Amino acid sequence: MQSYFVSDAHRCVVAPRRNLLSLLRKFTLILVCLMSSVLLHAETISGVVLDPAGAVIVGAHIEITGGELTQPIVISSNARGEFASPDLKPGSYSVRVTSTGFEQLVKTVDLQGTVELQLKLAIAKQHEEVTVVTKGRAYANADPVYKQLRNVGLGETFRLDDFTVRMDAATFHFQKGTLTLLNPVNGVVTGAIYIGEGHLNLKPVTLLDATELKRRSGTEEVDEDFSEVVFRFTGGEPKKFAPGLKEKVETPDDAVSAFEHWKEKVRKRHEEALGFTEYLLHGEDMDNVDADLLAGVYNPAHPPFFNAYIRGRKHKDLRFFVRTRVGAIPQLDSPEEVALLNYDPESMDDGIWYLSHLQAEFINHRASSNEDRRLFATHSYKIETIISKNDHLFSTASILFEPLVAGERVLKFGLLPNLRVSRVTDDQSQDIYYVQESRKEDGSFYVILPRAPEMGKQYSITVQYEGDKVLQSAGDGSFYVRARTSWYPNLNGFGEHSLYDLTFKVPKRYKVISVGKLKGESTEQDFAVTHWITPEPVAVAGFNYGNYQKLELADEKTGFKISGFYLTELPDNLSQFSILKTIAPKSMTKYAMEQTRAQLQVCNFFFGKIPYEEIYITEQPDFNFGQSWPNLVYLPISAYTDATQRWMLFGTINTKFTGFVQEVTPHEVAHQWWGHAVGWASYHDQWLSEGFAEFSAGLFLQQAVAGDWRKDYIEFWERLQKRIVERNNFGIAPNDAGPLWMGQRLSSPRSMNAYQNVTYPKGAFILQMLRSIMFSQQDGDKPFIDMMHDFVDSHRDKPASTESFKAIVEKHMSKLMDLAGNGRMDWFFNEWVYGTQIPKYHLDYQLIPLDGGKTNLHMTITQSEVDDQFRMLVPVFVDFGKGMVPIGQLGIKGNSSRTLDVPLPMQPKKVALNAYKDMLER
């Protein structure tokens, strides 16, 4: 995902390199020849694939079988049409060659040394015209306007002194300097470079954003002097500078170097990110700014786009973005349009300093996580995938979509940069332009439609691609599936639900377990073929892959059909631990399936039905990482260990890890409700998925575990409380990193694990506290259950936001819950979702005997370490000899005490607050 270009106005900068490049190419060619001469002394089948006219065919699929091969070797011809399979043993082999538009060719080879083949493919009889992959690749990065943007040069330069440009919450004051415009592309100026003295001020719109900015930068406003800014923009943004432009001047050298440095900076991708901002902006789905600008050039009505890359006096790489519709930082799946980041991966103040909605949206009360970010809506994917013996992936994806914004022609897909696109065609099978730069550069995948699609109509494109890094062998038939969401061209990520039709062709030894329902199985030579269809639209498609054995379990109570898939061998990285060789995967899979059945019953009762009938529980070689896709659960291998094996492995009883193993299966199964049946609107709302799944794991311990549930249940909530308040080496507790609503932005160099240690446990506590305050002596959990059923039912076809969940809570709130007296739950959400206060409680009580064996409970409850407006309903429990039972809740406000007398039918053994950890407290 990076590439470096020099503008047309400065070609002399590159000229001296040409001789060097020529020499390097010659040296490389000599080296390749020398290497080839060495390799071809081994038993090798090699050759070239040609069309009838003698032109090479790139990307032809070659399958070699026979000899002593237990599985076919699948390779493809390179850019010169060549292929080679070295290190074969002597014998008789069959070479089968296929390529789109050509007849299949099968060649028998008696291998006794080196064989070089010239394989000419005949044109397919049913086609009058053939377009080979070579032609398809000619459309990569070849759109004429995109090429102009990629190589745009510097234009005219003007004085710009004492001039101010306001962009929402930010103000740029240009004190003294020059502004160099970029040359127009299709008549559109897409950028400018300021060199001189200037000042940036950013004042947050909301108190919440001001607090977050202060936590990040130390102040509630940003004030930064700068010496250069590179602007990139579309639409009418250049007009903002026009009133301040004065006389033309010579372009300063600093403008040239600033633009060249900018291109290197925004087009470079690292395999391993050093910090959070680099992970976001330069990860596998990083923006290709030139392709994003192309959308605005082709569509004058494209949502406005304004990026400023600021070299400050104190902070050398501040980035200010304003981007409507798709969001300022699309990688965060948020519609917030305005952002300021300090891009400094190796510093302690690296991170997102500001990310918020437009000022106008707050003024007009339109700011919402539910704003539609999409430019196109995807209706369905049809994907055919071949996984070769060497784990290489070959795929063809057909995508059905419709436009949501008039005039749009550029679609951006999430696709692993290692997966290289070879061809894109429209619904008339015509090749169309696409963008995919090098995987080490800004190599995200974009498709350029030949014309703007008509609103209200559906269109389709077909993408052919191949590559590696989707799968990584773990040894002995197990594989890490690394690209969980980006193994196919994914248009809108988790932002929408689509139908999937998936076909997998893999070596016979292995099984694919996919999302959806298995509709058919067959074999083709030495490959196993499976066909899967999702009956209902889902947010994402995924699969697990390996040498799996299968078990089945039906649940007559809920109607779910549960299938368990396990590996018989340990992955290579764990085989050194002899104690793990005693794992009994079959029996532990049965146990995981029993856990799954119990959790499905619990969730079905408390939350309602989900649109899936089958659940696949699959083991994966990752030791401590679980995940859940629609009707497909990935469990870590540690979930298949028992207490003795873990004690032998760690040499001690690791309570944290024991808790993880105890909770991981019910947590991941609960994601079938939280994350899939009910999605989330933005990163602000992801706690509705992770926190609710964590709550559901606790519910499992209470409702589904045989015997006395109290010990494990209380320890579960104690672990969660500790995760929230335990301080790290910087003296910062995860809760101090910011409110739950900040989601992934909680993570910073000083609070690296804050996201995980707030979103999961605090999100769980919020639902736990709502359950507690909705509990009644008459109806028990029924009010809570009714609310959760309503929440699931009302969000089957739309993502949930914090505000939409709050509306459901308010719909079901009792009079007791109305602590503010306004019929709203603002008090609760302000404290627990948008705030960081955690109260401390103390109970004093006396038991006074009354006539007839009755007792008067005289108690005083004190709340402290909160502000004067903090409200809470505090649960009170008594133990009459059979364990703690709730007797009611007492509302309390601020740092204060409340005294109450409660008549009891008999004298209790003990009185306590929060006996079952229903409430988060210090």
Side-chain angles (χ1 to χ4, degrees):
M1 290 187 182
Q2 300 102 51
S3 109
Y4 311 106
F5 289 80
V6 179
S7 63
D8 293 341
H10 304 279
R11 289 185 186 275
C12 59
V13 177
V14 218
R17 291 185 177 179
R18 289 178 179 166
N19 290 333
L20 176 60
L21 288 173
S22 178
L23 288 171
L24 284 172
R25 290 192 188 104
K26 290 178 182 178
F27 177 76
T28 302
L29 180 61
I30 293 168
L31 184 60
V32 168
C33 291
L34 288 172
M35 291 175 64
S36 298
S37 65
V38 173
L39 286 173
L40 294 178
H41 284 297
E43 273 68 8
T44 300
I45 297 177
S46 65
V48 62
V49 184
L50 307 171
D51 68 11
V56 301
I57 297 176
V58 178
H61 291 195
I62 300 105
E63 294 183 14
I64 301 174
T65 58
E68 296 184 11
L69 295 174
T70 57
Q71 297 288 344
I73 294 174
V74 180
I75 52 180
S76 59
S77 55
N78 62 20
R80 296 188 293 274
E82 298 170 348
F83 67 92
S85 180
D87 300 326
L88 296 173
K89 294 183 179 180
S92 179
Y93 292 85
S94 176
V95 180
R96 186 169 73 94
V97 186
T98 58
S99 185
T100 304
F102 295 92
E103 294 290 332
Q104 173 181 291
L105 176 65
V106 179
K107 185 85 171 176
T108 301
V109 176
D110 185 16
L111 185 62
Q112 300 294 334
T114 296
V115 173
E116 296 184 51
L117 304 173
Q118 188 177 87
L119 303 172
K120 278 195 175 183
L121 303 188
I123 294 175
K125 295 176 182 176
Q126 65 269 31
H127 294 294
E128 296 180 2
E129 182 179 347
V130 173
T131 303
V132 296
V133 175
T134 305
K135 183 178 178 182
R137 284 191 171 131
Y139 283 75
N141 310 319
D143 178 86
V145 178
Y146 173 74
K147 290 169 70 175
Q148 290 182 57
L149 286 166
R150 197 70 175 175
N151 297 282
V152 67
L154 305 187
E156 297 176 322
T157 298
F158 301 86
R159 293 292 313 171
L160 184 65
D161 301 331
D162 194 20
F163 184 72
T164 298
V165 171
R166 290 182 174 84
M167 291 298 298
D168 199 75
T171 301
F172 292 86
H173 183 65
F174 304 98
Q175 295 161 346
K176 183 177 182 181
T178 63
L179 189 74
T180 302
L181 302 178
L182 300 185
N183 283 324
V185 175
N186 259 27
V188 178
V189 174
T190 62
I193 300 105
Y194 177 79
I195 302 296
E197 298 174 6
H199 184 79
L200 168 71
N201 172 264
L202 185 143
K203 185 174 183 179
V205 180
T206 70
L207 178 61
L208 191 65
D209 288 319
T211 302
E212 171 65 7
L213 178 59
K214 185 174 182 179
R215 183 176 76 87
R216 290 286 187 173
S217 68
T219 60
E220 293 186 354
E221 289 187 35
V222 173
D223 282 294
E224 180 85 19
D225 292 329
F226 57 77
S227 58
E228 70 178 47
V229 186
V230 174
F231 296 99
R232 300 307 306 264
F233 39 62
T234 61
E237 304 307 321
K239 296 178 183 177
K240 291 181 168 61
F241 294 91
L245 299 183
K246 297 181 179 178
E247 72 276 9
K248 292 182 184 179
V249 295
E250 185 177 347
T251 299
D253 291 340
D254 285 348
V256 178
S257 60
F259 192 48
E260 291 305 312
H261 178 63
W262 173 84
K263 286 191 283 188
E264 179 179 346
K265 180 168 60 178
V266 302
R267 295 175 179 177
K268 187 176 182 180
R269 185 176 80 90
H270 293 130
E271 291 290 339
E272 298 293 334
L274 295 177
F276 183 61
T277 53
E278 187 171 64
Y279 165 76
L280 275 181
L281 301 184
H282 293 260
E284 64 181 39
D285 57 351
M286 72 181 290
D287 291 330
N288 177 325
V289 177
D290 302 301
D292 290 332
L293 290 166
L294 180 67
V297 173
Y298 273 142
N299 182 17
H302 182 74
F305 174 104
F306 180 94
N307 285 5
Y309 302 83
I310 306 155
R311 182 173 178 79
R313 299 294 184 189
K314 294 179 290 186
H315 302 94
K316 304 304 181 185
D317 193 353
L318 292 173
R319 303 185 185 190
F320 176 75
F321 303 148
V322 179
R323 194 172 181 184
T324 60
R325 185 75 185 196
V326 300
I329 308 176
Q331 292 80 1
L332 271 181
D333 293 330
S334 170
E336 292 164 313
E337 300 89 350
V338 187
L340 178 68
L341 300 91
N342 180 36
Y343 186 87
D344 193 356
E346 297 185 79
S347 80
M348 296 303 290
D349 53 1
D350 172 73
I352 300 172
W353 284 9
Y354 183 77
L355 181 59
S356 192
H357 290 277
L358 294 165
Q359 288 180 333
E361 291 186 346
F362 285 111
I363 293 171
N364 297 319
H365 305 287
R366 290 188 291 105
S368 169
S369 293
N370 286 112
E371 295 172 27
D372 197 344
R373 303 172 49 251
R374 301 172 298 163
L375 301 175
F376 299 86
T378 318
H379 293 294
S380 67
Y381 295 84
K382 183 176 182 179
I383 307 171
E384 299 179 1
T385 299
I386 298 173
I387 299 173
S388 70
K389 183 185 175 183
N390 59 3
D391 310 331
H392 203 73
L393 184 140
F394 302 86
S395 285
T396 300
S398 296
I399 303 151
L400 183 68
F401 64 92
E402 71 171 294
L404 298 177
V405 176
E408 289 301 313
R409 289 179 53 190
V410 179
L411 301 90
K412 182 186 179 184
F413 292 89
L415 184 67
L416 185 72
N418 284 75
L419 295 173
R420 307 308 295 171
V421 176
S422 57
R423 191 182 185 193
V424 182
T425 56
D426 62 15
D427 44 18
Q428 303 299 314
S429 299
Q430 297 298 308
D431 284 275
I432 57 179
Y433 290 116
Y434 63 93
V435 173
Q436 190 186 39
E437 299 290 348
S438 162
R439 65 179 179 82
K440 294 184 178 180
E441 301 176 352
D442 46 348
S444 290
F445 173 50
Y446 295 74
V447 170
I448 306 165
L449 302 176
R451 64 194 64 83
E454 186 177 337
M455 296 292 289
K457 289 190 175 181
Q458 295 183 7
Y459 299 82
S460 69
I461 59 171
T462 299
V463 181
Q464 296 178 19
Y465 59 98
E466 65 176 88
D468 53 21
K469 297 296 179 71
V470 173
L471 295 169
Q472 178 186 341
S473 175
D476 285 326
S478 61
F479 293 86
Y480 302 101
V481 182
R482 294 306 192 197
R484 297 284 172 92
T485 60
S486 57
W487 65 275
Y488 65 96
N490 190 327
L491 186 57
N492 290 309
F494 279 87
E496 67 182 2
H497 286 196
S498 306
L499 292 169
Y500 287 85
D501 183 326
L502 307 168
T503 299
F504 297 91
K505 181 179 179 182
V506 304
K508 267 199 237 182
R509 178 189 175 193
Y510 301 120
K511 281 187 174 68
V512 166
I513 306 100
S514 170
V515 300
K517 279 191 171 184
L518 179 62
K519 304 300 288 185
E521 292 183 274
S522 62
T523 57
E524 291 182 14
Q525 296 184 358
D526 291 318
F527 282 83
V529 182
T530 54
H531 181 209
W532 309 75
I533 291 178
T534 57
E536 299 285 337
V538 297
V540 66
F543 65 94
N544 211 346
Y545 175 68
N547 187 14
Y548 283 103
Q549 307 299 311
K550 181 181 179 182
L551 297 173
E552 291 186 346
L553 177 67
D555 181 12
E556 295 179 0
K557 189 171 183 179
T558 61
F560 286 108
K561 179 183 175 183
I562 305 164
S563 299
F565 296 86
Y566 64 92
L567 300 162
T568 57
E569 302 294 334
L570 288 172
D572 288 347
N573 67 326
L574 297 178
S575 60
Q576 59 181 305
F577 301 104
S578 58
I579 185 60
L580 294 181
K581 294 180 181 179
T582 64
I583 289 177
K586 184 175 181 178
S587 62
M588 292 304 290
T589 298
K590 289 180 180 178
Y591 175 67
M593 294 168 71
E594 292 287 356
Q595 282 188 307
T596 299
R597 178 166 63 178
Q599 181 67 325
L600 290 172
Q601 292 176 3
V602 169
C603 292
N604 202 62
F605 176 75
F606 274 84
F607 312 133
K609 292 188 177 297
I610 54 175
Y612 316 122
E613 297 175 354
E614 299 183 51
I615 302 292
Y616 310 130
I617 305 298
T618 66
E619 179 188 355
Q620 63 177 357
D622 293 278
F623 189 70
N624 59 351
F625 168 68
Q627 199 168 42
S628 188
W629 260 204
N631 79 293
L632 171 63
V633 175
Y634 304 83
L635 289 182
I637 198 169
S638 59
Y640 296 78
T641 62
D642 59 30
T644 301
Q645 290 158 345
R646 293 193 296 273
W647 183 83
M648 294 289 290
L649 185 64
F650 294 114
T652 184
I653 297 175
N654 187 318
T655 54
K656 283 186 178 180
F657 197 75
T658 296
F660 169 78
V661 172
Q662 188 182 52
E663 302 150 21
V664 64
T665 300
H667 176 102
E668 298 303 343
V669 171
H671 271 306
Q672 298 303 309
W673 279 261
W674 314 124
H676 297 305
V678 178
W680 64 90
S682 79
Y683 73 96
H684 288 304
D685 314 299
Q686 203 163 354
W687 69 275
L688 299 171
S689 171
E690 297 298 353
F692 284 23
E694 195 79 343
F695 165 84
S696 303
L699 198 60
F700 171 87
L701 295 176
Q702 184 190 53
Q703 301 288 323
V705 175
D708 191 346
W709 50 269
R710 293 173 178 82
K711 181 177 181 294
D712 286 344
Y713 182 73
I714 292 172
E715 287 179 354
F716 168 83
W717 290 106
E718 286 175 342
R719 284 196 301 273
L720 265 56
Q721 188 267 357
K722 190 174 182 180
R723 287 174 62 183
I724 297 167
V725 302
E726 192 171 52
R727 297 182 183 276
N728 62 16
N729 292 336
F730 292 99
I732 299 172
N735 190 70
D736 299 334
L740 171 69
W741 191 72
M742 284 296 173
Q744 294 180 52
R745 290 169 61 190
L746 293 167
S747 296
S748 74
R750 291 182 176 86
S751 56
M752 289 300 295
N753 297 317
Y755 166 71
Q756 294 90 337
N757 288 326
V758 172
T759 302
Y760 288 69
K762 194 172 183 181
F765 260 112
I766 287 174
L767 203 54
Q768 175 80 334
M769 289 187 285
L770 285 172
R771 182 190 178 195
S772 171
I773 63 180
M774 296 182 81
F775 185 88
S776 72
Q777 298 293 333
Q778 297 76 26
D779 298 319
D781 276 322
K782 187 177 183 302
F784 175 76
I785 292 171
D786 289 344
M787 179 188 75
M788 297 308 292
H789 278 243
D790 191 5
F791 178 56
V792 171
D793 289 339
S794 61
H795 290 85
R796 292 188 186 278
D797 300 317
K798 60 181 179 181
S801 68
T802 300
E803 286 301 310
S804 71
F805 175 63
K806 177 173 172 284
I808 294 292
V809 176
E810 290 174 342
K811 178 180 174 182
H812 292 266
M813 67 185 290
S814 65
K815 289 184 179 180
L816 182 65
M817 296 166 65
D818 191 12
L819 292 187
N822 58 6
R824 296 175 61 84
M825 289 294 288
D826 293 353
W827 66 269
F828 182 88
F829 281 79
N830 288 342
E831 290 167 4
W832 297 109
V833 179
Y834 304 113
T836 59
Q837 297 181 81
I838 298 177
K840 188 174 182 179
Y841 292 97
H842 180 73
L843 170 67
D844 287 316
Y845 70 92
Q846 293 176 301
L847 297 173
I848 304 170
L850 300 175
D851 294 340
K854 296 180 180 180
T855 299
N856 179 61
L857 169 61
H858 179 79
M859 61 179 177
T860 299
I861 300 174
T862 301
Q863 178 176 267
S864 60
E865 300 189 19
V866 292
D867 64 28
D868 292 340
Q869 298 304 311
F870 190 96
R871 298 172 171 89
M872 195 57 198
L873 283 167
V874 183
V876 182
F877 293 79
V878 297
D879 181 2
F880 291 116
K882 295 183 179 180
M884 287 289 183
V885 293
I887 60 168
Q889 301 172 74
L890 185 65
I892 190 167
K893 179 182 177 183
N895 293 296
S896 64
S897 298
R898 281 198 65 184
T899 300
L900 190 68
D901 288 287
V902 180
L904 299 176
M906 65 184 73
Q907 181 167 319
K909 294 173 63 177
K910 187 178 179 182
V911 180
L913 304 179
N914 202 22
Y916 295 121
K917 309 303 176 186
D918 295 327
M919 178 178 57
L920 178 59
E921 62 173 323
R922 293 197 179 274

